[in-house]
Amino acid sequence: MTILKIDNLRKIYPSFLLDDISFSISEGKIMGLIGKNGAGKSTTLKGMLNLVKRDGGSVEMFGMDFFKHEEEIKQHLGVVLGGIDFYNHKKLSDITAVTKRFYKNWDEDAYQNYLKVFSLDPNKRVKELSSGMKVKYMLALALSHNARLLILDEPTSGLDPVARDDLLTLFKLLVEKKNITILYSTHIITDLEK
Amino acid sequence: MFNLIYKELRLSAHPNLFIFTLLGILVIVPAYPYEMVFIFGCLGPYITTVYGRETNDIYYTALLPVRKTDIVKAKCLVFVLAQMTQILISIPFAFLRVVVLPAGNPAGIEANVAYYGFGFIIYAVFNMIFLVTFFKTSYKAGKAVLLAIIPASLIMILMEVLVHFPQFKWLDSTRANDLPKQFPILLFGIVF
């Protein structure tokens, strides 16, 4: 089953053009979006998530038009935007208390389990987490509402080799054991090879 | 919508939004320009939008399974609720000051019916310009507040200056026989 299908996605900036982006991903697969810094990886992801207004093209997720069924699709979607931290001064428990209200399939037991597996302390503030732990927290939120598709924008950028390997192993595990689909942008080719 | 308002209050609102809401009590301060209450009521939303930009609030919210129009509605609703709560908090103190400070306010307008009418007009003008300008981009808060605070300040200055003219003495009064003259301002403010 095709989980994500992008056709002719287009975004025009005064000094930058993202033209004719098309690809698709099947369920339970991991796919890399690779390119140098400034190539338009983040713009592609933001354009398909309606975080920036696109100038053309279509986006289908779970067989539905993303722009017509945005609310419904986001119930099954987990997103980690690299380099963007939410609410640095807030405790993880505060962010979780708000986030879980929006998801019909929120699984509190699974969330508590992910906190233990990822060694996350809910009483810590976001600013007290390392870059790798921030990504893990975002993953814990996404996995606790049973996201079927994870869209990760440079989640391993800025991490040390150990933390990167740690995360890559986790992504592999999610795809193999939980049949989760991952779209993953990076400029680090070795990460993608793994 | 309730979840979004809860999110605004728990994650997005800067602590100053709550503190400035409580500053409705300033109408009990002797010899104080009460326009400051409305300045604080305008600053609260501005500081919260800047805080939201710094905490990436808009990215977090845009990724939630909600309609974008509801995100904007919830934010606007929280700001207006803060301003209206501030006015509600100030009302008992406006009554109290008539008893404890019968000599009136030499610094400017009394906290009377006309004052609240001007308050509603100030908030309506500020919100209309600030919120419309800000939500065109969701990050250019400085330009939005500058465009909004200028007309809002002009109304505040007008309110504070008028009461010093003898022919507008009724505007600065808390006497029962002057109140009917002030009610149209309150009514206009509420409708506006």
Side-chain angles (χ1 to χ4, degrees), chain A residues 46 49-51 70-71 74-75 79 81 83-90 93-95 97-99 101-103, chain B residues 2-4 6-7 9-13 51 54-68 70:
Chain A
K46 284 177 183 169
L49 290 168
N50 206 13
L51 293 178
E70 201 172 329
E71 273 180 270
K74 280 179 177 170
Q75 286 285 347
V79 180
L81 298 172
I84 297 181
D85 307 329
F86 305 121
Y87 312 115
N88 259 321
H89 299 281
K90 296 288 181 189
S93 55
D94 289 333
I95 298 174
V98 172
T99 306
R101 288 171 162 261
F102 290 91
Y103 292 97
Chain B
F2 178 80
N3 285 340
L4 276 171
Y6 179 80
K7 185 229 111 197
L9 294 174
R10 187 147 183 195
L11 293 181
S12 312
Y51 181 64
E54 302 312 315
T55 56
N56 289 311
D57 169 67
I58 210 76
Y59 275 118
Y60 168 85
T61 317
L63 292 172
L64 292 173
V66 289
R67 277 197 298 267
K68 280 188 176 175
D70 287 341

Side-chain angles (χ1 to χ4, degrees), chain B residues 170-189:
Chain B
W170 56 271
L171 209 55
D172 198 24
S173 166
T174 50
R175 288 183 310 171
N177 56 344
D178 285 326
L179 295 186
K181 286 185 195 169
Q182 297 180 9
F183 268 115
I185 301 172
L186 179 65
L187 199 67
F188 180 75

Side-chain angles (χ1 to χ4, degrees), chain A residues 7-134:
Chain A
D7 270 323
N8 305 312
L9 188 69
R10 185 179 168 87
K11 175 70 191 169
I12 305 165
Y13 284 115
S15 57
F16 180 76
L17 171 67
L18 193 72
D19 200 14
D20 203 18
I21 304 287
S22 302
F23 60 88
S24 63
I25 315 177
S26 304
E27 190 170 18
K29 299 283 180 195
I30 184 162
M31 184 188 201
L33 199 60
I34 196 149
K36 62 179 184 179
N37 289 331
K41 303 182 295 294
S42 297
T43 306
T44 303
L45 298 184
K46 284 177 183 169
M48 58 187 255
L49 290 168
N50 206 13
L51 293 178
V52 294
K53 202 177 175 198
R54 75 200 193 288
D55 294 299
S58 64
V59 177
E60 266 185 35
M61 288 186 201
F62 316 112
M64 292 180 276
D65 183 331
F66 182 82
F67 304 102
K68 285 183 184 157
H69 301 91
E70 201 172 329
E71 273 180 270
E72 196 181 340
I73 289 170
K74 280 179 177 170
Q75 286 285 347
H76 308 287
L77 187 65
V79 180
V80 178
L81 298 172
I84 297 181
D85 307 329
F86 305 121
Y87 312 115
N88 259 321
H89 299 281
K90 296 288 181 189
K91 286 182 181 174
L92 303 191
S93 55
D94 289 333
I95 298 174
T96 305
V98 172
T99 306
K100 67 183 184 186
R101 288 171 162 261
F102 290 91
Y103 292 97
K104 292 172 195 161
N105 297 325
W106 182 264
D107 185 341
E108 187 61 30
D109 292 338
Y111 173 70
Q112 294 301 334
N113 188 41
Y114 283 119
L115 286 186
K116 277 185 200 154
V117 171
F118 296 157
S119 308
L120 288 162
D121 177 356
N123 291 315
K124 273 196 172 177
R125 294 174 197 278
V126 174
K127 66 179 177 182
E128 294 168 338
L129 300 180
S130 65
S131 303
M133 294 303 265
K134 282 175 191 168

Side-chain angles (χ1 to χ4, degrees), chain B residues 41-57:
Chain B
C42 295
L43 279 178
Y46 164 61
I47 292 171
T48 290
T49 51
V50 173
Y51 181 64
R53 189 177 64 192
E54 302 312 315
T55 56
N56 289 311
D57 169 67

